[in-house]
Amino acid sequence: MAAENNNTLEWQALDAKHHLHPFTDTGALNKKGARVITKAEGVYLWDSEGKKMLDGMAGLWCVNMGYGRQELIDAAYEQMKTLPFYNTFFQTTHVPAAKLAQAIAEVTPGDLNRIFFANSGSEAVDTIIRLTRTYWASQGKPYKNILISRENAYHGSTVGGASLGGMSGMHKQGIPMVGGIEHIRQPYWYGEGGDMTEEEFGLACAKALEERILEVGPDNVAAFIGEPIQGAGGVIMPPANYWSEIQKICKKYDILLAADEVICGFGRTGSWFGSQTLDINPDIMSMAKGLSSGYLPISAVAVGDRIAKALDTMGEDFNHGFTYSGHPAAAAVALANIELMKKENIVEYVANDIGPYFQEKLRETLQDHPLVGHINGVGLIAGFALVKDKATKELFPSDIDVGYICREHCFNNGLIMRAVGSRMVLSPPLVITREEVDELCAKAKQCLDLTLESVNQL
Ligand code: PXG
């Protein structure tokens, strides 16, 4: 990168010297220099070289209302002037936390009306681990403490979240992980369905839950947890019958159902929560990211009557919480974000207008591309595999990192599209317009062409 009239090289040098990045091979990054992002507006980002990029990932699946929203900026400023911090321990509350809890309860499905605050998706997931185990202990069943999750699930990066998630690369670096966690197969039909129909595969994946429950003993299983649609795993849409089967099994063995809505929540799928789009009735739900459109860190866990009543009657403290649980400035921003979503009817816009437009345009532009396997998604979340052979679904050999090649072409041509192995994923801000969707799809097509050229030259 040439940097004659700005400070890119200086910033990159500082970064290389002192900043350790998440999920990064630091040695490789520092040889190259990190891309320095300096400003953002609407659905666009700019780097320190003045390069403009369409942000097809809404930051990291979170800037749902887009960049530069004055309402959110003002909410943080005003709250910081009035009360920048107070805690919610020791029988204390403050107005933003109380109001935000109510606002969340109003949009969550079913009886999920009681809200616990944390600061990140990972902390919310850790809270689910502790809450579900505490629930069963309060019912006189402390042994009912196993959580069942799925391979290739992402539930965060704390020790609890990484253990619960099903990412083998993360488990490898955290041994020994938290105990009492089991993983079953993921419902990835395109990649793992073999000769089965989608329906048969959906049944088989749900059956895997029942088999595991019986293996470890139903009396030992506290909860099953899943993302309604797996996000970081590559946007894996489960077969249509999957969740209804999973719910039947949870009911049959009296196992709590936890939905991790950190990515699917707050309009992403065309409902307030992915659970509503996929017809899931969870007992407990984690949320983060879109809750504040990423402007400030905040997350929450919503619980239904069953768990709430147990906490109310436990007769002792639930010994869990964070200094910044319900942080006033973050809560004020999240509250303003929910108000803004309502004022702009953003959930309806995703459900009835821009979501269907995006899904259709994506298929129209990319489905016939020689590299593109089946495209899946709903609302403003989508993903597709990059394949060597469309007919056989054959993938590229592991020494060709086709996802990385594609991502680099995207960066260089003004589009942020994330690679998950050989799957490409998209999750643009919910405020994206039709013209911007057209631009996103045209750029994606151009970058797939460049990727094909690159792999053909290898
Ligand atoms: N649950 C789910 C479903 C998530 O997607 C978390 C929990 C953890 O949230 P925090 O706020 O602790 O990061 C997530 C986060 C990626 C990527 O590369 C995805 C996430 C985080 C970082 C990177 O796709 N999802």
Side-chain angles (χ1 to χ4, degrees):
M1 278 190 199
E4 276 166 22
N5 51 9
N6 69 34
N7 300 321
T8 301
L9 289 176
E10 191 188 323
W11 292 325
Q12 287 176 331
L14 289 180
D15 196 75
K17 196 161 173 202
H18 298 292
H19 183 189
L20 289 172
H21 290 244
F23 284 89
T24 296
D25 174 344
T26 32
L29 172 67
N30 292 343
K31 277 193 203 117
K32 186 177 165 201
R35 189 179 303 273
V36 185
I37 302 296
T38 49
K39 65 171 187 174
E41 186 61 40
V43 300
Y44 293 100
L45 295 164
W46 282 263
D47 72 12
S48 55
E49 298 291 295
K51 189 175 181 54
K52 182 181 178 185
M53 290 167 284
L54 200 168
D55 185 4
M57 284 306 296
L60 200 49
W61 322 81
C62 55
V63 187
N64 287 5
M65 294 306 283
Y67 298 98
R69 301 309 301 258
Q70 198 58 47
E71 294 88 340
L72 307 190
I73 299 162
D74 290 345
Y77 178 70
E78 291 303 327
Q79 186 56 46
M80 283 195 189
K81 274 199 304 186
T82 318
L83 180 72
F85 177 73
Y86 200 70
N87 71 70
T88 51
F89 290 47
F90 320 128
Q91 305 192 332
T92 303
T93 192
H94 48 68
V95 181
K99 282 192 171 173
L100 178 61
Q102 181 204 25
I104 294 174
E106 266 174 29
V107 295
T108 45
D111 65 355
L112 298 170
N113 291 323
R114 304 281 291 279
I115 314 298
F116 187 96
F117 289 115
N119 310 287
S120 66
S122 302
E123 288 175 2
V125 163
D126 277 25
T127 302
I128 287 185
I129 298 175
R130 300 206 57 211
L131 257 178
T132 51
R133 288 177 170 173
T134 302
Y135 168 77
W136 286 114
S138 78
Q139 305 302 297
K141 296 185 173 179
Y143 46 82
K144 199 165 162 70
N145 58 27
I146 293 175
L147 285 103
I148 302 182
S149 170
R150 297 164 315 167
E151 288 156 11
N152 198 35
Y154 190 76
H155 295 299
S157 199
T158 49
V159 180
S163 303
L164 198 55
M167 302 278 175
S168 52
M170 293 176 78
H171 292 173
K172 207 172 68 189
Q173 293 173 337
I175 294 168
M177 305 306 281
V178 170
I181 291 172
E182 297 279 326
H183 296 91
I184 59 169
R185 71 189 301 185
Q186 62 171 337
Y188 180 25
W189 180 59
Y190 178 80
E192 299 172 9
D195 295 334
M196 282 187 239
T197 64
E198 194 165 359
E199 207 186 338
E200 285 166 354
F201 186 67
L203 276 180
C205 291
K207 189 107 180 76
L209 174 61
E210 183 159 30
E211 283 162 6
R212 189 62 60 90
I213 291 170
L214 293 172
E215 221 175 284
V216 298
D219 242 9
N220 299 321
V221 182
F224 173 74
I225 185 166
E227 305 152 78
I229 298 165
Q230 287 156 258
V235 182
I236 312 293
M237 288 280 291
N241 58 349
Y242 176 75
W243 275 112
S244 62
E245 291 301 318
I246 289 282
Q247 290 186 96
K248 275 187 220 156
I249 293 163
C250 287
K251 260 215 169 77
K252 182 170 169 191
Y253 297 102
D254 199 15
I255 283 159
L256 296 170
L257 179 58
D260 186 349
E261 293 269 5
V262 167
I263 282 179
C264 293
F266 294 92
R268 174 67 45 206
T269 68
S271 309
W272 278 94
F273 292 92
S275 291
Q276 291 151 329
T277 303
L278 277 76
D279 206 13
I280 308 168
N281 295 301
D283 297 292
I284 184 166
M285 183 190 258
S286 48
M287 63 195 79
K289 297 192 186 272
L291 169 58
S292 65
S293 282
Y295 278 56
L296 283 177
I298 184 165
S299 68
V301 173
V303 304
D305 290 343
R306 189 172 177 184
I307 295 173
K309 268 194 202 125
L311 288 173
D312 287 344
T313 54
M314 210 161 66
E316 60 174 319
D317 290 355
F318 173 44
N319 294 312
H320 177 78
F322 308 96
T323 302
Y324 301 125
S325 283
H327 187 284
V333 169
L335 188 60
N337 182 59
I338 292 174
E339 282 164 5
L340 191 59
M341 289 179 72
K342 286 182 174 167
K343 190 171 130 211
E344 300 191 352
N345 289 318
I346 201 75
V347 178
E348 292 75 17
Y349 177 62
V350 177
N352 304 321
D353 184 335
I354 201 68
Y357 184 80
F358 171 69
Q359 296 294 337
E360 202 182 306
K361 190 85 192 174
L362 210 53
R363 284 163 180 77
E364 191 186 299
T365 322
L366 305 183
Q367 188 61 73
D368 292 336
H369 195 280
L371 280 178
V372 174
H374 179 65
I375 299 176
N376 59 25
V378 62
L380 285 177
I381 183 168
F384 52 87
L386 297 176
V387 291
K388 186 159 177 247
D389 185 328
K390 249 174 131 75
T392 61
K393 304 183 188 173
E394 184 191 342
L395 298 174
F396 285 89
S398 57
D399 60 328
I400 299 182
D401 194 347
V402 64
Y404 179 81
I405 295 170
C406 184
R407 188 186 83 182
E408 288 302 291
H409 280 306
C410 289
F411 265 131
N412 294 332
N413 288 283
L415 172 66
I416 296 187
M417 177 155 64
R418 165 150 160 52
V420 177
S422 60
R423 285 183 69 78
M424 300 308 295
V425 298
L426 285 161
S427 158
L430 309 185
V431 294
I432 194 167
T433 63
R434 287 185 176 219
E435 293 70 36
E436 289 160 349
V437 165
D438 292 350
E439 183 191 336
L440 186 158
C441 291
K443 286 214 161 101
K445 160 88 171 56
Q446 176 201 358
C447 296
L448 285 166
D449 289 343
L450 292 168
T451 305
L452 187 58
E453 261 173 49
S454 298
V455 294
N456 283 341
Q457 280 163 16
L458 290 172

